[in-house]
């Protein structure tokens, strides 16, 4: 899977797992923050998104990892992490 396809799949997971029916994948900017000022997600959204990404890609995030904040920073960051885990 190339990086653009991976980013599209991540956006679809974000929209479906967080029930953002009014949002379209093309409305999510790859480099935009997912939390706070960007998409405005919160910690509960992060948990749901982490579970959905685990189901979709078979990857996991450590609950204690200080890297999680970095991985969930944006679609770009998630794509980089997931592509590294899938190799």
């Amino acid at each position: 899977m190339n990086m653009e396809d991976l980013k599209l799949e991540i956006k679809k997971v974000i929209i479906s797992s967080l029930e953002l029916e009014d949002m379209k994948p093309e409305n999510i900017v790859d480099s935009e923050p997912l939390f706070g000022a960007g998409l405005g997600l919160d910690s509960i959204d992060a948990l749901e998104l982490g579970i959905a990404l685990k189901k979709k890609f078979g990857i996991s995030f450590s609950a204690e990892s200080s890297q999680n904040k970095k991985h969930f920073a944006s679609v770009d960051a998630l794509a980089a992490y997931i592509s590294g885990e899938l190799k």
Side-chain angles (χ1 to χ4, degrees), residues 10 34 49 53 61 71-72 74-83:
I10 291 168
L34 295 177
L49 181 56
L53 291 169
F61 301 91
H71 298 323
F72 280 88
S74 64
V75 170
D76 283 334
L78 276 171
Y81 174 72
I82 291 168
S83 69

Side-chain angles (χ1 to χ4, degrees), residues 19-83:
E19 300 174 358
L20 304 174
E21 292 91 8
D22 298 338
M23 182 80 63
K24 292 185 174 33
E26 58 269 19
N27 297 130
I28 300 174
V29 180
D30 293 349
S31 59
E32 183 177 76
L34 295 177
F35 298 89
L39 265 186
L41 304 184
D42 61 25
S43 57
I44 293 171
D45 294 329
L47 285 172
E48 291 179 8
L49 181 56
I51 291 166
L53 291 169
K54 181 177 181 178
K55 284 181 186 170
K56 173 77 177 170
F57 298 106
I59 54 143
S60 60
F61 301 91
S62 168
E64 280 102 49
S65 176
S66 59
Q67 297 294 309
N68 284 346
K69 197 167 193 168
K70 185 178 90 173
H71 298 323
F72 280 88
S74 64
V75 170
D76 283 334
L78 276 171
Y81 174 72
I82 291 168
S83 69

Side-chain angles (χ1 to χ4, degrees), residues 7-16 25 28-30 75:
K7 289 178 186 179
L8 179 60
E9 288 302 311
I10 291 168
K11 291 175 187 181
K12 288 178 181 176
V13 169
I14 291 170
I15 291 167
S16 65
I28 300 174
V29 180
D30 293 349
V75 170

